[in-house]
Structures are given as C-alpha cells and as structure tokens.
Amino acid sequence: MDEVHERGMDSDLLNLLIKKLMQNSKSSTKLVIMSATLQAHLFGQYFTPEDEMVRDTIFVGARRYPVEVYFLDEWKNFSSSFKSDASLNRLCKQFEMSCQGSDENSKNKMRPEITTDSQKLIIKLLTEIVKPKICILIFLPGIGEIASLQEELEKFASFLCPLQILVLHSLVSREEQEAAMHPAMTGHCKLILSTNIAESSITIPDVLYVIDSGLHR
C-alpha cells in the first residue's frame, strides 16, 4: 500500500480489511506499506500480530528541501500587504466560526467551495510571488472552482510576468497531465490549478510554492 499517510474513512476501512485478511489467511501473504511521511511505528504496531515483533523499517534515503508553512492567519507575517486586508480578516473569521461549529449540521460549517474572498486572496498572493521560471501549485476543491479561478486569472494582468496556466483533475487527458511536468515556458510562471489528484497521483518536480485552499470534496 502506497501513500498510507493519506488517512480517511475509506483508507482506514481498507486497513482494517487487510488486517483481518492477514489474520485469517493461512498463506504467506506479505504486506508492504509505503509513504514519504510514514508513521512507521504506528502502522507497524497496527498490522503486527500481538505474538510477533514489529518488523524493522526500511528507509530509502531521499533529498529533502526546507519548507516554510504559512497558515491563513499567518499571511500577515508573509507580507505587509495583508496586515489590514478585509478579505483575509473575513475568511479567518469564517474558518474560526466553522471550527467552533464542527457538527455536521452546524450552520457555521464551511462549505467546500472557494468564495469571492478566497479568490481575491489567492490572486493577491500571486501578485507577491509570481516570477519567471518557477512553478506554483494551487489546490482547489473541484473542477468548477478551477475553471472560475482560471477565468479570473486570465482577466488579471498585474503580474510580474505572463502566466502559463495548467489544470489537473480527474478528467484531464494524460497529455495534459504530462504538460504539468515540463518546465515553464520561456519568460512565464507555470501555474497549476489542481484538485487533490496532485497530492497522490502525480509528482510535479519543480514546484516552489503551494497554495492549499484546505477544502476538498
């Protein structure tokens, strides 16, 4: 099993079924669990029978890069232009209310969609970070939000350089997916608008910035 760190109801149910299968199987079934950010001991304990020792972890050395993370309420620290941004303040308040009303039926619960404030903030952030020869990956909850943001970006001209906009979702062709792997066009900033397909199904080698809406369906 690959990408086991991507926990969810479906994946946890699959883990349970595999565990039961291995417990009841008389064959020499072997299970290999893989992830770039694996909690090895946690999964090792879960799948190992009580009367056996947890297997050793096999670590494949990989080059890692330093990563800086800015959550929404920390954007003011990223750039002074966000210090008094009304859209940012409204969106932070919306997230705060959503967390307080975490019940499924709560009227404060955030819907998995990109609001006007979200679009404004994404575009404003892009004006700060867009430059030639780099790649920026933006995670959005669905195809509709991708199309909407793409339309707004194509109307917006105040970037340091032209944008090469690519989209990734379950309906794009293999050729379009492969285009996302290629370097940016000369003098352009490569901007990829994607659903969570780019979290597990595709590896894009030249991403410098990731903007994650934190929403998915």
Side-chain angles (χ1 to χ4, degrees), residues 167-170 172-181 197 201-202:
V167 301
L168 287 176
H169 51 72
S170 59
V172 301
S173 66
R174 185 175 183 83
E175 290 74 19
E176 290 174 292
Q177 290 186 17
E178 290 176 350
M181 313 299 167
I197 188 174
S201 303
I202 299 170

Side-chain angles (χ1 to χ4, degrees), residues 46-190:
Y46 180 75
F47 284 106
T48 302
E50 294 182 0
D51 58 344
E52 295 184 18
M53 295 286 291
V54 177
R55 302 293 193 276
D56 292 334
T57 302
I58 300 174
F59 175 72
V60 180
R63 185 178 180 183
R64 294 192 174 188
Y65 297 88
V67 176
E68 291 185 50
V69 178
Y70 291 89
F71 292 99
L72 188 65
D73 58 352
E74 298 173 327
W75 280 24
K76 296 173 184 178
N77 301 328
F78 179 78
S79 171
S80 59
S81 64
F82 290 106
K83 287 190 180 298
S84 58
D85 189 283
S87 295
L88 177 60
N89 292 332
R90 281 194 298 269
L91 203 56
C92 285
K93 186 66 175 177
Q94 189 179 0
F95 270 106
E96 183 181 341
M97 292 175 64
S98 178
C99 291
Q100 291 172 353
S102 58
D103 183 85
E104 286 292 329
N105 298 318
S106 171
K107 64 180 181 180
N108 292 328
K109 188 173 179 63
M110 285 194 73
R111 295 171 58 84
E113 60 188 14
I114 298 297
T115 63
T116 302
D117 282 336
S118 301
Q119 277 199 355
K120 287 180 179 178
L121 284 172
I122 290 172
I123 293 173
K124 185 173 181 177
L125 180 58
L126 288 174
T127 62
E128 300 270 348
I129 61 178
V130 161
K131 59 183 178 182
K133 298 182 180 180
I134 71 166
C135 175
I136 301 171
L137 173 61
I138 303 179
F139 284 115
L140 298 163
I143 297 174
E145 288 78 11
I146 288 176
S148 177
L149 181 58
Q150 182 176 6
E151 182 180 350
E152 290 300 313
L153 289 170
E154 288 172 347
K155 294 188 296 186
F156 196 81
S158 300
F159 292 116
L160 183 63
C161 66
L163 299 178
Q164 177 191 359
I165 301 177
L166 302 168
V167 301
L168 287 176
H169 51 72
S170 59
L171 300 182
V172 301
S173 66
R174 185 175 183 83
E175 290 74 19
E176 290 174 292
Q177 290 186 17
E178 290 176 350
M181 313 299 167
H182 300 153
M185 295 167 54
T186 303
H188 286 63
C189 172
K190 184 171 70 172

Side-chain angles (χ1 to χ4, degrees), residues 6-17 104 216:
E6 295 182 5
R7 300 286 299 278
M9 184 171 61
D10 292 339
S11 61
D12 282 358
L13 179 59
L14 177 62
N15 288 335
L16 175 61
L17 292 174
E104 286 292 329
H216 67 90

